[in-house]
Amino acid sequence: MIDVDDPGHRLRIEQLLAAHGPDIDDLCRACLSSLPGIGGVGVTVMTPQTQQVRYASDAVSARVEQLQFLLGEGPCRDAYATASPVLAGDLHASLWREQWPAFAPAAVLAGAQAVFALPLQVGETGMGVMDLYRDTPGDLADRTLADALVLAGAVVELILVETAAQDGSDDSLTAGGSNHLLQRAVVHQATGMISVQAGVPVEDALARLRAHAFAAGLDLDAIAADVVARRLRFDNLADDEDR
């Protein structure tokens, strides 16, 4: 599997964002042509309780995403649950027919012969899944998979930007009045604490804070306050999520 922590992988994500960001739709449209053999791409934003299609490049991709929601099974849901890619190179194969008895034949009928689901992750927190499909059976070439993982990383960055914009959080300590200043100070303090707890750079710590707020369906400031009050730690997040 490609090392997504490799500095070269991160550089390619930044280059992709600079060339095609900040809109997720524009990014996916621009990158689809660089993925040989891939017919379309779909992005579904997810939490443990919700599932919402954020982008679909074409009717087949839209149907693939819809089927997984309607049927409650499929590679997208498995990739989100396991935080690992699910690469179904031939939906006619008995392995996938047994895994998804309703989805596999329905996806083939819709025009997808192969589906590849890549989780959208920030640290241990899942943001959703990016699905790619082929209209003929066949596995992903290593280079195509590497390019798809770069695209998935860029999509994660833009989902975080959209989430921050919806929350009205701009990371600026100079915007707004005293109450806004206090809230932003709490976010920055929490970011510093997460950086130490998880052993990651500050920018990655902020991304993890935002991702956890998104997944929990809570306000960014509320999550930050929990971190500062030591009710939530990011070096033991799995245990804290059960609290």
Side-chain angles (χ1 to χ4, degrees), residues 4 51 75 85 107 127 189 207 215:
V4 295
Q51 183 173 336
M127 305 287 293
Q189 184 180 353

Side-chain angles (χ1 to χ4, degrees), residues 41-42 45 70 92 105 107 110 121 184 188 195 210 221 243:
V41 57
V45 177
L70 293 174
H92 292 281
Q121 295 276 133
R184 297 280 69 77
H188 281 261
S195 177
R210 283 176 168 167
D221 297 318
R243 62 186 175 85

Side-chain angles (χ1 to χ4, degrees), residues 38-209:
I38 297 301
V41 57
V43 174
T44 296
V45 177
M46 302 174 71
T47 72
Q49 294 78 33
T50 63
Q51 183 173 336
Q52 179 180 10
V53 177
R54 171 60 184 79
Y55 174 77
S57 63
D58 60 294
V60 176
S61 288
R63 184 58 176 163
V64 166
E65 302 304 309
Q66 182 186 46
L67 284 171
Q68 295 182 88
F69 176 74
L70 293 174
L71 300 174
E73 64 180 39
C76 173
R77 298 175 71 90
D78 287 2
Y80 180 79
T82 63
S84 299
V86 176
L87 309 177
D90 185 357
L91 290 176
H92 292 281
S94 59
L95 169 65
W96 306 118
R97 293 274 175 155
E98 293 170 5
Q99 182 85 358
W100 312 306
F103 169 78
V108 169
L109 190 62
Q113 299 285 325
V115 178
F116 311 97
L118 306 179
L120 304 175
Q121 295 276 133
V122 177
E124 300 299 316
T125 302
M127 305 287 293
V129 174
M130 183 177 78
D131 285 329
L132 311 171
Y133 84 86
R134 293 174 56 111
D135 57 10
T136 58
D139 294 330
L140 284 181
D142 288 346
R143 178 57 187 270
T144 304
L145 177 57
D147 290 344
L149 288 169
V150 171
L151 175 58
V155 168
V156 168
E157 298 283 347
L158 296 186
I159 290 174
L160 289 172
V161 170
E162 288 186 351
T163 303
Q166 291 165 4
D167 288 343
S169 56
D170 58 10
D171 306 322
S172 171
L173 290 176
T174 60
S178 59
N179 185 54
H180 182 85
L181 282 170
L182 178 59
Q183 290 176 333
R184 297 280 69 77
V186 170
V187 169
H188 281 261
Q189 184 180 353
T191 299
M193 293 173 66
I194 294 168
S195 177
V196 173
Q197 291 170 8
V200 298
V202 170
E203 58 270 21
D204 290 348
L206 179 58
R208 293 188 183 198
L209 180 66

